[in-house]
Amino acid sequence: MLKSFLSKVGIGGLEVDTVVDNQVLEEGETLNGTVYIDGGEADQIIDHITLEVFVRIHREDAMSDFEEVDRTITKHSIELIGDSKSKKIRMIPFEIVPDDRWLINRDNEKLMLKTTVHINNAVDAYDEDEIQYA
């Protein structure tokens, strides 16, 4: 099975990539993937990484205005042990088990996976991408 690239967060020389085994899941399947941390020459120290599955709801009103509202379904926190400043690439596998809340209305909702990198004494960086569950 080919790996699907999902998100990439870059902070200075630090890069965090989230790769999932499959962005399109059938009901009953588990979301499996790996977070790759490349410390490079970065001075940043990662406190932890959060993976969040949420529904993005697209709403339109009669005036053709629209808004997007996010509703969190689940969060998965990855605590790091050791120094993330290493020049080596760290690989952290993850598994998130879906539930009925992952079944969405396809007309105005998207199921999203967001990776947030929490950096000590800095602004948190994030990236997100769509996943599908049917």
Side-chain angles (χ1 to χ4, degrees):
M1 180 182 302
L2 292 175
K3 300 284 185 187
S4 297
F5 177 76
L6 192 64
S7 69
K8 182 181 203 92
V9 178
I11 308 143
L14 177 71
E15 288 187 1
V16 178
D17 296 328
T18 302
V19 178
V20 296
D21 294 346
N22 193 351
Q23 278 183 266
V24 180
L25 301 171
E26 297 293 325
E27 191 170 354
E29 290 183 324
T30 301
L31 179 63
N32 295 303
T34 305
V35 175
Y36 296 89
I37 303 169
D38 183 355
E41 299 291 329
D43 291 331
Q44 294 87 355
I45 297 176
I46 297 174
D47 182 48
H48 66 283
I49 297 171
T50 304
L51 300 175
E52 177 182 357
V53 177
F54 66 93
V55 176
R56 176 160 291 149
I57 304 166
H58 179 84
R59 296 183 180 151
E60 290 187 44
D61 62 21
M63 302 288 293
S64 296
D65 290 336
F66 71 91
E67 68 174 336
E68 289 183 337
V69 178
D70 295 341
R71 183 183 73 222
T72 299
I73 295 175
T74 188
K75 283 187 178 182
H76 180 76
S77 184
I78 299 172
E79 303 295 328
L80 301 178
I81 298 173
D83 190 359
S84 61
K85 292 170 59 173
S86 169
K87 293 181 181 179
K88 296 179 182 176
I89 295 177
R90 293 177 67 181
M91 299 182 300
I92 303 168
F94 66 88
E95 180 178 280
I96 302 174
V97 178
D99 60 31
D100 291 342
R101 296 174 295 169
W102 289 43
L103 297 170
I104 60 170
N105 176 351
R106 299 263 183 244
D107 295 333
N108 65 341
E109 298 178 343
K110 290 182 182 179
L111 191 62
M112 308 290 290
L113 177 64
K114 177 179 180 180
T115 303
T116 304
V117 181
H118 303 272
I119 304 292
N120 288 339
N121 302 318
V123 176
D124 298 338
Y126 71 91
D127 192 19
E128 60 192 39
D129 201 358
E130 185 175 1
I131 56 176
Q132 295 179 16
Y133 184 76

